[in-house]
Amino acid sequence: MNVCVFCASSSRLAPEFVECARWLGAWIGERGHALVWGGCNVGLMDVVGRAARDAGAPTIAVIPEFLVARGLAFEPCTERVVTRDMADRKAAFRARADAFVALPGGVGTWEEVLEVIALCKLAQLAAPIVIANVKGYYDPLLELVRRSIAEGFSAPDVARLYAVAADAPGVAACLEQPRAQTARLDLGPVG
């Protein structure tokens, strides 16, 4: 399985976030999976990449050319895919991934995971999505989803498009036993 991991480029993080990335990267390699990720040499991206590589996983770094030019490319990857921009990067993630994991991250991570959830909702993507809610990091996002459902902005089935885990072993369990996505999701009013 090619596991796409969305995660932070920040290095100023609590140890629990770093350990989650390290554990997940090692699990990917130990289980014979491949890592598809942002391919930068900073933050959780560096941690998960090194852990996966050290555990024997193929590592597929997908990075836009402007980040390569800034010297941020993770060097010891198995394969590097250099994209024109961030939009092409996300398309490359989707083309190569069988499952998606959102570790804690900033605006870029939020945007990446929300896009794959939206694409699954619109039946344009069918893949397991797991949100790693380490230290309750994603509680505000999960509350926003609940409110969106309660206020009628989203159909209740949107919460079935992803799983939530509190730690890396929980993420692994979700990937090993993915939730069945609903084939006939309520798209709501159109037009």
Side-chain angles (χ1 to χ4, degrees):
M1 170 172 42
N2 287 356
V3 181
C4 181
V5 178
F6 303 134
C7 58
S9 60
S10 175
S11 298
R12 302 175 307 274
L13 303 172
E16 295 89 341
F17 300 130
V18 175
E19 182 51 35
C20 181
R22 184 177 294 116
W23 195 99
L24 183 62
W27 176 84
I28 288 169
E30 290 162 5
R31 290 296 192 275
H33 302 309
L35 171 67
V36 178
W37 90 122
C40 286
N41 59 11
V42 291
L44 295 186
M45 282 196 263
D46 187 64
V47 172
V48 74
R50 289 187 188 284
R53 185 209 57 208
D54 291 350
T59 53
I60 305 163
V62 183
I63 184 168
E65 57 192 19
F66 75 90
L67 291 178
V68 174
R70 290 177 55 190
L72 294 175
F74 182 89
E75 290 302 329
C77 58
T78 307
E79 177 186 352
R80 178 174 297 117
V81 179
V82 178
T83 63
R84 187 172 44 91
D85 56 27
M86 298 297 275
D88 287 345
R89 180 194 217 184
K90 292 185 300 177
F93 287 152
R94 292 190 309 273
R96 288 166 174 77
D98 302 307
F100 298 89
V101 174
L103 295 181
V107 173
T109 302
W110 308 337
E111 190 259 347
E112 290 163 341
V113 71
L114 289 173
E115 179 175 84
V116 295
I117 292 170
L119 289 170
C120 284
K121 175 69 176 164
L122 297 169
Q124 300 300 298
L125 180 67
I129 301 167
V130 184
I131 295 174
N133 194 25
V134 178
K135 292 182 60 179
Y137 180 79
Y138 281 110
D139 285 349
L141 175 63
L142 299 171
E143 177 55 32
L144 181 60
V145 171
R146 285 188 285 275
R147 181 166 182 194
S148 176
I149 292 167
E151 299 284 348
F153 290 102
S154 297
D157 60 13
V158 73
R160 293 196 311 253
L161 296 173
Y162 56 85
V164 179
D167 55 22
V171 170
C174 290
L175 291 172
E176 289 174 340
Q177 305 244 337
R179 297 165 69 161
Q181 291 177 330
T182 306
R184 298 183 57 143
L185 294 172
D186 177 5
L187 297 178
V190 177

